[in-house]
Amino acid sequence: LRGIPGFYSDRQNHFHFVDYKSATGFLIPVKNELGQILALQLRRDDDAKPKYLLMSSATYKDGASSGAPFHVNRYYPQKNKLFTSVIITEGILKANVIAELARCPVAGLVACTTFDDSFVPQLQKVFPNLEECRIAFDMDFVSNDFVKAQRKRLAEYLSAAGLTVKLLTWDKTHKGLDDYLLASRSVSRRAA
């Protein structure tokens, strides 16, 4: 467990998992294109903020920082398909739900700000035939200037790299694309 974010060793070289002030919830793996776990994110089950915490043990013996890697869900039933388009959303759990319901690959950012100059080259390495990115940030961008600015920044960054960018929107009564797809699925089931 040496060097794995969230784990650390004590003086007797016994490994432990970092305790964020007894925060409870469930762990969400942040995976790369091979399905390997890069980091763990805790989805808290209480009302404390922030709701999501990246597990890091950088300040402990044999620990490591998680950084803020982006999550890849290639939608494995079609793993041999050479994808030309990917949805980019904010949130790891959200990316998994969208990939399953939309049946397409999704890249999940830890937060709407967690991309830098290395993001596009990494994305193109994962999806070598990439031509189009569909940004699906939460609909709160309409009233949240910070999210709106990050959405615009990402769009400009992707466009500057020569990629076609589409900004996805949906009924704003559903915050995220995952919520919208789940609601649409429920309506379809009731109609059948």
Side-chain angles (χ1 to χ4, degrees):
L1 298 174
R2 182 174 286 109
I4 297 176
F7 292 91
Y8 65 95
S9 66
D10 60 21
R11 290 181 184 152
Q12 292 79 33
N13 290 322
H14 297 116
F15 278 88
H16 304 276
F17 193 67
V18 72
D19 179 7
Y20 278 110
K21 299 180 183 169
S22 301
T24 59
F26 62 91
L27 293 172
I28 305 164
V30 180
K31 296 181 179 181
N32 65 13
E33 70 277 10
L34 301 175
Q36 298 167 325
I37 297 173
L38 303 174
L40 294 169
Q41 187 178 58
L42 176 72
R43 173 22 171 118
R44 298 173 72 136
D45 58 10
D46 56 21
D47 292 329
K49 301 289 182 194
K51 185 175 10 176
Y52 292 92
L53 296 168
L54 274 174
M55 306 311 283
S56 179
S57 53
T59 60
Y60 296 91
K61 180 182 176 217
D62 295 323
S65 171
S66 63
F70 72 93
H71 172 71
V72 177
N73 188 317
R74 291 178 69 141
Y75 187 66
Y76 289 102
Q78 299 179 25
K79 65 183 173 186
N80 294 325
K81 185 175 178 184
L82 298 175
F83 294 104
T84 58
S85 179
V86 65
I87 293 175
I88 301 171
T89 193
E90 49 180 323
I92 309 310
L93 186 58
K94 185 177 306 231
N96 288 336
V97 173
I98 294 169
E100 183 64 30
L101 296 176
R103 300 178 180 267
C104 66
V106 180
L109 300 173
V110 171
C112 66
T113 60
T114 55
F115 62 93
D116 59 17
D117 292 342
S118 66
F119 179 63
V120 170
Q122 289 174 12
L123 199 60
Q124 290 173 321
K125 182 178 177 188
V126 173
F127 302 103
N129 294 337
L130 188 62
E131 297 171 4
E132 175 188 84
C133 293
R134 296 175 285 160
I135 300 174
F137 279 14
D138 287 351
M139 287 301 290
D140 65 351
F141 81 87
V142 173
S143 59
N144 185 326
D145 289 338
F146 180 75
V147 175
K148 184 186 291 185
Q150 296 308 311
R151 183 176 181 252
K152 181 181 178 193
R153 183 173 76 96
L154 179 58
E156 290 171 350
Y157 182 57
L158 295 165
S159 292
L163 297 167
T164 300
V165 176
K166 291 187 178 175
L167 301 174
L168 301 183
T169 59
W170 48 90
D171 180 343
K172 65 181 177 183
T173 59
H174 305 286
K175 182 180 179 190
L177 181 57
D178 57 332
D179 301 322
Y180 174 76
L181 293 172
L182 282 167
S184 299
R185 183 177 181 184
S186 296
V187 169
S188 297
R189 284 187 177 168
R190 283 193 301 249

